[in-house]
């Protein structure tokens, strides 16, 4: 049986992003493309797709039905693909309500940022660790100007990821 974890409720009508970690097979990609015209395969193999909020439940049922018995799927849903990506890695099955992305990501470990992009070097994370920063929320709370003055634009990039903000548009 599939169990969906919900973090709250919202009545806002928005597009939702589904992050799907699986074998990234041709079948998974075909399924994603049958559910949405907006599909991106992340460098990690994560499939990200955008669906209307009204279609979210149907899309999730189709995704989980296609993987019954395989035990190889991790997914999450959020209003930003960045948040969906991190939630699928850290807390599969999570559905983050619109506007709650930053709050939901706060307890996530900072090391998770390395899964987003291979170019996020360990040097930046080691610096943040020396400063006592261990969680997304702690990075989110740092004053942006001071972060940029110490880490440059990479600091802003990491902070935006930790806040669950999309740093670039969906690539089809």
């Amino acid at each position: 049986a599939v169990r969906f974890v919900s973090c709250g409720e919202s009545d806002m009508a928005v597009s939702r992003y589904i992050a799907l970690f699986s074998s990234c097979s041709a079948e998974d990609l075909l399924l994603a493309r049958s559910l949405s015209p907006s599909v991106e395969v992340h460098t990690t193999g994560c499939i990200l797709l955008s669906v209307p909020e009204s279609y979210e439940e149907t899309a999730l049922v189709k995704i989980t039905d296609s993987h019954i018995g395989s035990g190889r799927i991790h997914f999450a849903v959020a209003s930003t693909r960045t948040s969906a990506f991190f939630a699928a890695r850290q807390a599969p099955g999570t559905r983050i309500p619109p506007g709650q992305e930053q709050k939901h990501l706060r307890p996530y470990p900072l090391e998770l940022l390395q899964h987003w992009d291979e170019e996020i070097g360990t040097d930046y994370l080691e610096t943040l660790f020396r400063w006592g920063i261990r969680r997304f929320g702690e990075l989110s709370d740092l004053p942006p100007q001071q972060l940029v003055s110490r880490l440059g634009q990479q600091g802003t990039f990491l902070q935006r990821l930790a806040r669950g903000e999309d740093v670039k548009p969906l690539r089809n």
Side-chain angles (χ1 to χ4, degrees):
V2 175
R3 182 177 69 94
F4 296 117
V5 180
S6 181
C7 299
E9 298 301 322
S10 174
D11 295 323
M12 295 174 59
V14 294
S15 289
R16 303 284 282 159
Y17 289 95
I18 299 173
L20 174 63
F21 283 95
S22 65
S23 63
C24 197
S25 66
E27 293 84 15
D28 290 337
L29 197 50
L30 282 172
L31 173 63
R33 292 207 168 132
S34 76
L35 299 172
S36 173
S38 302
V39 176
E40 174 183 333
V41 178
H42 192 269
T43 58
T44 61
C46 176
I47 298 173
L48 295 155
L49 59 143
S50 174
V51 297
E53 185 177 43
S54 61
Y55 189 64
E56 176 183 331
E57 195 68 37
T58 301
L60 290 176
V61 168
K62 289 181 179 189
I63 289 168
T64 54
D65 282 353
S66 73
H67 287 84
I68 289 178
S70 69
R72 59 181 176 91
I73 183 174
H74 295 272
F75 69 88
V77 183
S79 293
T80 67
R81 67 185 205 289
T82 304
S83 296
F85 175 91
F86 287 125
R89 294 289 294 201
Q90 185 69 19
T94 299
R95 295 166 78 175
I96 303 173
Q100 298 296 310
E101 291 79 16
Q102 187 174 350
K103 178 182 176 184
H104 181 81
L105 297 178
R106 288 188 67 76
Y108 286 12
L110 206 58
E111 298 90 354
L112 200 58
L113 291 173
Q114 289 182 302
H115 293 285
W116 179 261
D117 190 336
E118 295 172 1
E119 295 181 19
I120 296 176
T122 57
D123 293 346
Y124 292 104
L125 295 181
E126 287 173 5
T127 298
L128 292 168
F129 285 147
R130 281 195 305 276
W131 296 351
I133 307 299
R134 303 282 186 272
R135 305 267 172 215
F136 278 29
E138 295 165 342
L139 177 56
S140 295
D141 293 342
L142 292 176
Q145 299 83 1
Q146 292 178 14
L147 190 59
V148 169
S149 70
R150 290 175 175 84
L151 296 179
Q153 289 304 312
Q154 187 71 1
T156 301
F157 175 73
L158 294 172
Q159 188 174 54
R160 289 187 67 201
L161 288 177
R163 290 178 174 169
E165 297 173 13
D166 286 336
V167 292
K168 57 187 173 184
L170 185 76
R171 296 180 317 249
N172 283 322

